[in-house]
Amino acid sequence: MSRLCLLLLSFSCVVAAAAFSWQRHHPHRPDRLAASSELVDVAYHMGPVLASPASIYTIWYGHWEAAPQGIIRDFLLSLSSPSPSPSIAEWWRTVRLYADQTGSNVTGSFVLAGELHDSAYSHGATLSRLAIQSIIRSAVTAYPQRLPLDPHGGLYLVLTSPDVRVEDFCREVCGFHYFTFPEIVGVTVPYAWVGHSGSQCPGMCAYPFALPDYMGGASNANGSGGGIQVLGAPNGDVGADGMVSVIAHELAEMASNPLINAWYAGSDPAAPTEIADLCIGVYGSGGGGGYVGSVFKSSEGEGYNLNGVKGRRFLVQWVWNPVKKSCFGPNAVD
C-alpha cells in the first residue's frame, strides 16, 4: 500500500490499496485547507458519470436504532426533494455540473428503492474493505427477502453500526466508494461504505461535532477547544449527523467518478483526488484550516448549513464547483 499526499496544504491524503482494487480512503481531517483554484486541475478522463435516474439500495449492517436510521434516510430523501433554501437538493446542483463525453450531466433524480437489515452480522463484526462487496453479494442473494441486483442505475450503500470495526476505519478512512467485481457480486455496480463513528472516533469522522484527540478530545460538542470551532449535531446524534456529510462526500464522488475514470485531479488513477476530497472540512464561506466557514447555528448551538425534508437540518461539506473553480455550496455568503 502506497500513500500519495498532494502538496501545498491543499489536498487530502489519499491511500490506494494495491491488492484487489483502487479503493480510495478519505481521512476527514479538520486541519486541512480548502484547495486553491490556482493549484487544482480537475480533469475529465473520458469515463461515465451517473447520468441515469438512480435507485439507492441501503444495507444497514449490524445493530441499528431507528433514530439514526431516520436521520440518514431523510438526508437521502432530500437529495431530490424540495426543501427550504439553502437545501440538500440545491447542494447537489454543483455535482450535476459534471458531465460525460456525450454531454449527459450527473442525475438529479434519486429513489430510495430498497433496504435490507443485516442485523445478524452475516460477515462478522470485524470487516476487511473487500468484505463490503461480500455484504452486497449476501444482500442480493438473501432468502427469502433480498435486494435486487440492479446494474441499470443501482447504487448500493453499506452502512455499518457503531459496534462494527472496518479495516482502517478511524485511522485512514471514514468511508469509501468503488465498484463491485463481477466475480464477487455478479455484475459491476457502484457502491459506497460509511461507518458510524459515534463510539469509535467521533473526532476523526464526525468533526465538527467532536474534536480529535490530538486537539483536545470530543467531550463537549457544544464548546470549543484550541481555537477550533465545535458545533452541536443538528439532529442530536453526533455519529449519524457525522455520517451524513461522509455519505454526501461519497455520493458526490460516486456520481462524478463511478468507475474511477471520469472526473478527478492528479495524474495517478490509483490515487485520484476527487471533487469532495478538495473541500474536506469546508462547510461555508471562508472555511479551511480547521474553521468550518460561515454556517448557521441554532440557539442550542447546533450547527447546520443545509435544509432537508421534514424540517431536518444538516451540516454537509462543500464540493468542488468546476465553473467557479472553487469549493462551493448554496449557503455561500455573497
Side-chain angles (χ1 to χ4, degrees):
M1 187 177 292
S2 61
R3 179 174 294 179
L4 174 64
C5 294
L6 300 182
L7 303 178
L8 299 175
L9 298 176
S10 56
F11 300 97
S12 64
C13 292
V14 180
V15 179
F20 302 113
S21 67
W22 289 340
Q23 294 173 336
R24 301 98 48 264
H25 313 290
H26 311 301
H28 286 65
R29 295 287 295 276
D31 55 343
R32 302 191 185 279
L33 297 177
S36 165
S37 60
E38 291 82 10
L39 302 173
V40 174
D41 181 20
V42 176
Y44 179 55
H45 300 270
M46 304 307 292
V49 300
L50 295 182
S52 300
S55 297
I56 299 176
Y57 300 96
T58 306
I59 301 169
W60 303 97
Y61 190 88
H63 177 71
W64 280 90
E65 300 289 346
Q69 286 181 313
I71 294 169
I72 293 168
R73 192 178 293 117
D74 286 346
F75 164 72
L76 295 173
L77 287 169
S78 300
L79 286 168
S80 55
S81 299
S83 304
S85 183
S87 68
I88 295 293
E90 290 172 334
W91 173 86
W92 189 259
R93 289 177 189 170
T94 295
V95 185
R96 296 205 66 205
L97 294 173
Y98 293 88
D100 62 18
Q101 57 187 312
T102 71
S104 298
N105 291 79
V106 167
T107 185
S109 176
F110 294 90
V111 175
L112 273 59
E115 296 186 356
L116 185 138
H117 298 261
D118 192 340
S119 56
Y121 301 80
S122 62
H123 293 267
T126 301
L127 305 170
S128 68
R129 292 191 295 267
L130 192 62
I132 302 302
Q133 295 199 31
S134 296
I135 290 172
I136 297 172
R137 179 194 62 205
S138 295
V140 300
T141 58
Y143 180 84
Q145 294 182 324
R146 64 175 66 92
L147 289 179
L149 185 55
D150 181 4
H152 306 293
L155 309 177
Y156 292 81
L157 188 59
V158 180
L159 305 177
T160 50
S161 59
D163 57 331
V164 176
R165 298 188 178 276
V166 178
E167 180 183 2
D168 288 333
F169 184 36
C170 296
R171 296 194 305 265
E172 300 286 351
V173 50
C174 300
F176 63 76
H177 79 92
Y178 203 61
F179 52 86
T180 59
F181 301 149
E183 57 267 31
I184 296 178
V185 178
V187 297
T188 295
V189 291
Y191 74 94
W193 160 80
V194 177
H196 189 296
S197 66
S199 61
Q200 294 189 48
C201 58
M204 173 71 173
C205 295
Y207 177 85
F209 308 129
L211 283 179
D213 290 340
Y214 69 90
M215 288 185 177
S219 59
N220 185 2
N222 289 304
S224 61
I228 301 299
Q229 188 176 10
V230 182
L231 301 172
N235 298 288
D237 188 315
V238 168
D241 277 307
M243 285 184 78
V244 163
S245 191
V246 184
I247 292 169
H249 177 122
E250 300 304 338
L251 286 175
E253 295 182 344
M254 184 160 51
S256 58
N257 195 30
L259 301 181
I260 324 300
N261 61 359
W263 289 96
Y264 61 86
S267 59
D268 185 358
T273 299
E274 299 175 281
I275 67 170
D277 295 330
L278 293 165
C279 304
I280 288 174
V282 178
Y283 300 85
S285 297
Y291 172 56
V292 299
S294 178
V295 300
F296 306 111
K297 196 172 183 179
S298 73
S299 59
E300 293 78 25
E302 299 163 342
Y304 65 98
N305 61 352
L306 300 175
N307 296 300
V309 299
K310 304 178 185 176
R312 292 280 194 187
R313 294 169 171 176
F314 301 101
L315 188 69
V316 175
Q317 71 149 93
W318 285 5
V319 294
W320 187 259
N321 185 305
V323 176
K324 296 180 181 293
K325 297 190 181 301
S326 65
C327 298
F328 183 76
N331 62 307
V333 178
D334 292 336

